[in-house]
Amino acid sequence: MEAKKISEGLSVSPQIVADDITEIAKLGFRSIICNRPDGEGADQPTFDEIAKAAKKAGLQARYIPIVAGKVSDGDADDFGQALDELPKPVFAYCRTGTRSATLWSLSQAKRLDASEILRATKDAGYDMGGVVRRIVNGGKTPTDNGDARFDVVIVGGGAAGISVASSLQARRSGLEIAVIDPADIHYYQPGWTMVGGGVFDASTTAQTMGSLIPKGVHWIKAAVAAFEPKDDAIVLDGCRVVKYDRLIVCPGLKLDWHGVEGLVDTLGRNGVTSNYRYDLAPYTWELVSSMREGEAVFTQPPMPIKCAGAPQKALYLSGDHWYRKGVLDNINIGFYNAGGVLFGVKDYVPALEKYIDRYHADLNFFHNLVEIDGVAKKAWFDVVKPGEETKRIEKSFDMIHVCPPQVAPDFIRVSPLADAAGWVDVDQATLRHKTFANIWSLGDVMNAPNAKTAAAARKQAPVVAENVVADIDGKSPVAQYDGYGSCPLTVERGRIVLAEFGYGGALRPSFPKWLIDGTHPSRLAWLLKEKILPPIYWKAMLRGKEWMAKPEKVSVK
């Protein structure tokens, strides 16, 4: 007997025998549902045997037999009704537990999001991919097989998605391409650090999605509920089905604000802010520009995160403002990093450490923010140093800039596209999926070991476009990605340490050293960040103009 928890009210199990009932009762279960028809296997007890043992142990029992592979809509309704009526928690079983898990999934489809159902069953060891359309359709069998079909479908209309759509059009103008994204607004997220530093106005970092989708590309304004890669299909919320010949997955990542207890309740007030959200970045500047004394805390969660340098960029620009205003000596700056280094590429660390010293910032490594009380102005960190026991510390603040934990979107993590950690599983050079040959991924959602930055997506888009077109022509991949990423570290207003690197931390500068030496603060790099990169983003990258982004050819051995 093996109970696999699906929810607080239900666990499922493979076939049990009457002797298991005593143990089931001891585990706290109050009811049993049998989903296996009598006589299906020569070695199974009848339901009457199970029911008698259950009654003796004080448990209720119900018989909802299901023929393997034939779970009807009515069966799911019966199971849901039983869950509502029986004392909880309930123990359900069949031959392997799959029918019971399927019945639960379909019965809860109108009550829970599809991603919650898929995550719960996946965590218990059951794959609901075969009934995902029914889950999305409220537990009912869909009546259609496909509402639309395209040569290429792109999931995500962010920097990666629009760039790769434009790059594909530039190479093969006749393709029928669709971009799936429910958002009305597209954001230039690299600009939010500058908003939080009082350099940019937030409105300059936003444009309507409709104005950016390339002409001739179909925009499906909907959310993805699930993938069915074996059928070349995507299921949308509302159970519409989109079919594709080739799929590109780039929906970005999920900012897990709920990953820090109490954070959601206090964001945007009580001195709690974050440059990782459009509406909060102006509050960062409001706090910084008005602060004259006190405790300023800046946090960084465990990797991976979007733009690993962003948490300390907020520190530097804040410290520089206080330095210029002559109040720095009255402000204690603390940087609390869940990792063990200031920056992952060692060549840039010496320049950054000089600014840490300049702003008298206290570095705290292996400190992960786990809870916050905005009203009390207190934060708690778990200190997890190698070889030591975890301990929790408390820190008071007057302002705190929080970088939230970050994970793959729910609909990605529970999909067949994901690796064990939840990210889309690709070959790090060609960006092609390791299992499904007609699927590619780029941007923050895939699992290549590169920095998750817009600059990385700028280099990845041409690689994916080249390889998709090659695949259409029946060829092997022709372009490869070298792991390039860029992080313009705004160490003070007017100077930037321009970190550019690839796989393994190899330096990959875009400019000759005599022009910009990325390992040292540079005024020219600041000009690039402030004046040049925003128009390049809007007018070049998103329009398929691949300036300084020519794909590297696959080497022939």
Side-chain angles (χ1 to χ4, degrees):
M1 187 271 297
E2 183 183 4
K4 299 178 180 180
K5 186 175 180 180
I6 298 285
S7 70
E8 290 302 319
L10 176 73
S11 293
V12 303
S13 167
Q15 178 68 56
I16 61 172
V17 296
D19 289 344
D20 292 325
I21 299 297
T22 301
E23 180 64 22
I24 290 171
K26 286 181 179 179
L27 290 173
F29 292 99
R30 300 177 62 197
S31 307
I32 291 178
I33 298 176
C34 172
N35 295 130
R36 191 178 189 193
D38 284 346
E40 185 179 75
D43 58 347
Q44 73 180 92
T46 65
F47 172 69
D48 284 345
E49 294 175 67
I50 297 296
K52 287 178 183 178
K55 184 176 181 180
K56 185 177 180 180
L59 277 63
Q60 291 194 33
R62 190 164 299 189
Y63 188 44
I64 307 177
I66 307 297
V67 175
K70 295 184 179 180
V71 179
S72 71
D73 295 349
D75 294 331
D77 291 340
D78 291 343
F79 189 85
Q81 183 178 347
L83 284 182
D84 289 339
E85 296 172 350
L86 290 170
K88 296 178 182 60
V90 176
F91 183 99
Y93 73 92
C94 55
R95 186 180 71 82
T96 64
T98 299
R99 274 169 275 184
S100 299
T102 301
L103 286 162
W104 175 83
S105 299
L106 297 175
S107 72
Q108 303 303 302
K110 291 182 179 179
R111 307 181 188 186
L112 301 174
D113 288 340
S115 61
E116 293 181 65
I117 293 171
L118 293 172
R119 181 170 60 249
T121 51
K122 183 177 181 179
D123 288 347
Y126 296 102
D127 180 8
M128 294 294 106
V131 293
V132 70
R133 293 193 204 184
R134 292 174 66 184
I135 294 171
V136 175
N137 199 41
K140 305 302 180 183
T141 304
T143 58
D144 56 289
N145 293 320
D147 298 289
R149 186 178 194 105
F150 300 93
D151 297 324
V152 181
V153 171
I154 300 169
V155 174
I162 293 181
S163 296
V164 77
S166 296
S167 290
L168 275 171
Q169 273 197 328
R171 288 168 171 80
R172 193 62 57 89
S173 59
L175 288 176
E176 286 289 321
I177 302 171
V179 171
I180 302 175
D181 197 302
D184 292 306
I185 305 297
H186 177 105
Y187 295 104
Y188 176 55
Q189 296 180 32
W192 292 348
T193 292
M194 303 289 265
V195 174
V199 182
F200 288 176
D201 184 85
S203 64
T204 65
T205 68
Q207 291 192 26
T208 60
M209 185 72 78
S211 69
L212 298 173
I213 300 288
K215 186 178 180 180
V217 171
H218 304 269
W219 177 24
I220 301 175
K221 192 175 182 294
V224 171
F227 296 92
E228 291 187 344
K230 291 182 180 179
D231 294 324
D232 298 332
I234 299 167
V235 185
L236 306 180
D237 278 352
C239 208
R240 284 182 294 160
V241 177
V242 176
K243 305 278 280 187
Y244 58 82
D245 292 330
R246 288 163 185 84
L247 173 66
I248 300 173
V249 183
C250 47
L253 47 68
K254 173 184 174 181
L255 301 178
D256 188 12
W257 300 103
H258 290 280
V260 177
E261 186 177 345
L263 177 58
V264 171
D265 298 329
T266 194
L267 274 170
R269 53 198 177 93
N270 301 317
V272 182
T273 190
S274 178
N275 290 341
Y276 275 77
R277 222 170 73 184
Y278 173 79
D279 61 320
L280 294 178
Y283 184 52
T284 300
W285 177 238
E286 179 184 328
L287 293 172
V288 171
S289 59
S290 63
M291 192 169 184
R292 297 292 180 268
E293 61 180 5
E295 301 287 331
V297 174
F298 299 82
T299 76
Q300 179 170 316
M303 295 295 174
I305 64 171
K306 182 195 300 282
C307 189
Q312 58 186 288
K313 293 180 192 180
L315 183 158
Y316 298 136
L317 286 179
S318 301
D320 180 64
H321 176 77
W322 296 325
Y323 176 82
R324 293 171 187 266
K325 290 297 182 180
V327 298
L328 183 60
D329 289 343
N330 302 324
I331 298 174
N332 297 316
I333 300 176
F335 187 48
Y336 291 78
N337 186 350
V341 295
L342 183 58
F343 194 72
V345 183
K346 62 181 179 58
D347 301 76
Y348 302 104
V349 172
L352 300 178
E353 288 179 333
K354 290 180 180 178
Y355 281 92
I356 291 292
D357 292 340
R358 176 178 178 174
Y359 304 133
H360 313 305
D362 179 29
L363 291 182
N364 299 274
F365 296 119
F366 305 110
H367 283 61
N368 185 33
L369 178 67
V370 292
E371 184 178 351
I372 191 165
D373 185 333
V375 175
K377 292 191 177 297
K378 294 184 182 296
W380 289 266
F381 296 84
D382 277 352
V383 184
V384 190
K385 294 184 179 180
E388 298 182 15
E389 291 188 4
T390 300
K391 63 179 181 180
R392 182 161 296 188
I393 67 162
E394 178 185 293
K395 173 64 181 174
S396 298
F397 63 83
D398 293 289
M399 75 157 279
I400 182 169
H401 179 274
V402 176
C403 175
Q406 295 166 37
V407 295
D410 294 343
F411 72 94
I412 295 292
R413 284 186 288 146
V414 300
S415 77
L417 310 184
D419 65 8
W423 305 96
V424 179
D425 194 18
V426 301
D427 175 87
Q428 70 176 43
T430 65
L431 305 183
R432 191 178 208 166
H433 198 275
K434 291 180 180 177
T435 303
F436 304 104
N438 65 337
I439 297 177
W440 290 259
S441 183
L442 72 157
D444 296 343
V445 78
M446 53 89 168
N447 66 354
N450 63 284
K452 296 184 183 296
T453 67
R458 183 173 66 88
K459 288 293 189 82
Q460 294 161 5
V463 171
V464 171
E466 287 267 310
N467 288 339
V468 168
V469 170
D471 187 65
I472 292 171
D473 292 339
K475 299 176 182 177
S476 298
V478 296
Q480 61 184 356
Y481 171 57
D482 61 8
Y484 176 86
S486 176
C487 185
L489 292 146
T490 50
V491 289
E492 62 174 294
R493 191 166 183 140
R495 289 184 185 272
I496 276 177
V497 171
L498 183 59
E500 295 181 283
F501 45 89
Y503 288 137
L507 300 191
R508 296 197 175 277
S510 299
F511 306 96
K513 202 167 186 178
W514 60 265
L515 185 61
I516 297 180
D517 182 353
T519 62
H520 292 85
S522 162
R523 291 191 182 278
L524 188 56
W526 176 273
L527 177 66
L528 183 72
K529 170 76 172 177
E530 183 185 18
K531 302 294 186 182
I532 300 174
L533 288 181
I536 284 179
Y537 180 85
W538 296 115
K539 298 179 181 180
M541 177 178 167
L542 298 186
R543 297 183 181 179
K545 295 179 173 62
E546 298 162 4
W547 300 340
M548 301 179 70
K550 185 177 181 180
E552 180 181 333
K553 298 298 181 182
V554 170
S555 56
V556 180
K557 296 181 180 179

